Amino acid sequence: MDMDLSSYSADDWVEHSVHGSVYHDGIKFSALVVPSSIEAMKTFDVRNDDIWINTYSKSGTHWASEIVHLILNHGNPETIDRTTTQGNIEMIYFQKDSYDEGKTRHLPFYKIIEKAPSPRIVQSHLPVRYLPPGIDSKKAKVIYVARNPKDVITSLDRFVGNTEMGDFIRWQGALKEFMDGTRNYGSWFDHVKTSWNLRHQENRLFVKYEDMKRDPREAVLTISRFLERPLSEETLEKIVEHSSFKGMKKSYDKVEEEGKGDLVKALGKQSYMNKGVVASWKKRFTVSENEEFDRVYQEKMADTDLRFDFE
Ligand code: A3P
């Protein structure tokens, strides 16, 4: 989506290279993440009607965002303004041309969110401890989406595989980092377990990708109840249809046709709409990789009752 950036002064832009890795607090982050933006989250002005979508990457972020957008837009994808969900709050405002040209001055995406009208839908992959404290003091709503980790890493590999980022995130290295907890955004295990432990707070909802897949209608209902936005039967039907993989692909294709592709294709190449199924990991993992993964998984998930469906 083309944004009017004229209201931002030179002071709003930051010096940041998107080529290479970013480290903050001893954790590696995607190169699109700006360390000063993570710092800025400590004092970020949360609004009580904000709706935050928090995920580890490739876990269904855009799917959950689309459901929320559709709920706020009475099931009509045409009226959705996706400005605040075309990026994650901790990243730069992504412009394909500046990325391709290796430009080093970028507008942090949180500055766009700061000026957005309410209610804002805000996406973040940040682990809970880096999210603004205002989320809890203002009782903003947080939807956390978790997905079985084998599909997460498989999806991620497909997503970054053809990009420059793919060079340093190739499959075996990525798998090892994922198991070690040294991949971008830190340990997936800590990420999901922390939010699982907070799931009973009234401003938090924990949903699983596989449950959304199994019963999309129930998923929409659960989210609408959580947001205290009751739906008529007719609107519910519309939301289920437009947030299905097919429905969303149609909406995203349309956005792209209209020349607003940076929103739906990260790095201008990889679509957020890929396969949209459970268990695509089976075509990616070798038998021994799977055995090793299961061993690590058992060990790291021994202290939680959080369970995932892998089939
Ligand atoms: P796959 O790569 O396995 O297909 P994120 O939005 O967090 O980046 O997650 C992207 C993943 O969610 C991709 O997974 C994508 O296809 C899937 N996805 C997006 N919309 C979906 C939908 N409506 N239904 C099912 N899966 C969806």
Side-chain angles (χ1 to χ4, degrees):
M1 189 170 298
D2 289 330
M3 306 264 315
D4 174 17
L5 302 181
S6 59
S7 61
Y8 295 94
S9 76
D11 290 347
D12 289 317
W13 295 65
V14 291
E15 195 67 32
H16 177 75
S17 168
V18 291
H19 301 277
S21 285
V22 164
Y23 289 86
H24 176 75
D25 211 10
I27 295 182
K28 187 166 76 168
F29 290 92
S30 146
L32 302 181
V33 172
V34 188
S36 58
S37 291
I38 304 181
E39 279 300 311
M41 291 302 100
K42 290 178 180 164
T43 53
F44 182 79
D45 198 7
V46 175
R47 300 183 197 153
N48 55 9
D49 56 359
D50 279 349
I51 302 162
W52 289 63
I53 312 286
N54 186 209
T55 54
Y56 189 88
S57 44
K58 313 320 294 170
S59 299
T61 324
H62 293 81
W63 189 7
S65 289
E66 193 74 3
I67 292 175
V68 176
H69 273 307
L70 284 164
I71 291 174
L72 301 185
N73 283 271
H74 312 288
N76 186 0
E78 306 285 327
T79 60
I80 295 176
D81 176 352
R82 295 184 178 79
T83 305
T84 61
T85 51
Q86 65 173 296
N88 288 340
I89 193 164
E90 66 274 14
M91 294 182 171
I92 55 163
Y93 164 59
F94 180 76
Q95 289 174 296
K96 188 178 175 310
D97 291 349
S98 0
Y99 179 83
D100 287 348
E101 289 160 22
K103 288 196 179 148
T104 55
R105 283 191 72 71
H106 303 275
L107 183 66
F109 196 66
Y110 79 87
K111 304 240 172 187
I112 286 167
I113 307 236
E114 272 176 344
K115 292 190 184 181
S118 292
R120 302 179 297 191
I121 306 175
V122 184
Q123 290 178 177
S124 179
H125 292 327
L126 287 175
V128 170
R129 66 182 178 285
Y130 297 118
L131 290 176
I135 286 184
D136 287 319
S137 58
K138 295 275 178 68
K139 294 272 177 281
K141 290 190 164 37
V142 184
I143 300 172
Y144 187 91
V145 190
R147 185 181 194 187
N148 89 63
K150 291 182 191 174
D151 280 340
V152 167
I153 187 75
T154 302
S155 174
L156 194 62
D157 181 65
R158 268 201 300 262
F159 189 70
V160 297
N162 298 325
T163 67
E164 186 207 347
M165 281 181 177
D167 291 338
F168 40 137
I169 208 173
R170 292 312 311 156
W171 173 247
Q172 281 165 358
L175 189 58
K176 185 176 179 314
E177 281 189 343
F178 192 91
M179 292 190 285
D180 291 348
T182 53
R183 241 201 57 74
N184 286 347
Y185 287 94
S187 161
W188 172 89
F189 300 94
D190 293 345
H191 206 291
V192 293
K193 284 192 285 186
T194 307
S195 278
W196 177 247
N197 291 341
L198 295 171
R199 70 193 180 283
H200 296 307
Q201 287 184 4
E202 60 178 340
N203 64 327
R204 290 175 194 273
L205 177 71
F206 189 102
V207 289
K208 292 185 210 165
Y209 180 99
E210 293 76 21
D211 292 342
M212 291 169 69
K213 217 37 220 173
R214 189 177 312 106
D215 194 343
R217 187 187 155 89
E218 189 53 38
V220 172
L221 274 174
T222 302
I223 293 173
S224 77
R225 278 188 215 113
F226 174 67
L227 299 178
E228 298 167 276
R229 304 240 178 192
L231 304 172
S232 68
E233 187 54 37
E234 192 192 341
T235 307
L236 171 63
E237 290 302 324
K238 280 207 273 186
I239 297 175
V240 172
E241 182 194 331
H242 292 304
S243 64
S244 67
F245 187 82
K246 231 169 111 189
M248 255 178 84
K249 192 149 184 355
K250 215 160 130 190
S251 300
Y252 273 34
D253 284 348
K254 189 152 185 274
V255 171
E256 202 179 318
E257 261 167 42
E258 289 165 0
K260 300 167 181 171
D262 285 357
L263 166 66
V264 294
K265 287 200 169 182
L267 314 180
K269 294 174 187 148
Q270 303 299 306
S271 175
Y272 289 106
M273 306 303 298
N274 195 338
K275 299 257 187 297
V277 296
V278 177
S280 51
W281 63 268
K282 290 191 171 176
K283 294 207 182 83
R284 192 57 175 104
F285 280 64
T286 63
V287 171
S288 64
E289 283 166 351
N290 191 38
E291 282 169 2
E292 173 65 359
F293 195 96
D294 283 345
R295 194 191 58 71
V296 172
Y297 183 85
Q298 303 299 342
E299 189 185 297
K300 300 215 169 167
M301 299 296 276
D303 59 351
T304 178
D305 57 352
L306 172 60
R307 295 286 174 267
F308 285 94
D309 296 329
F310 290 89
E311 305 286 333

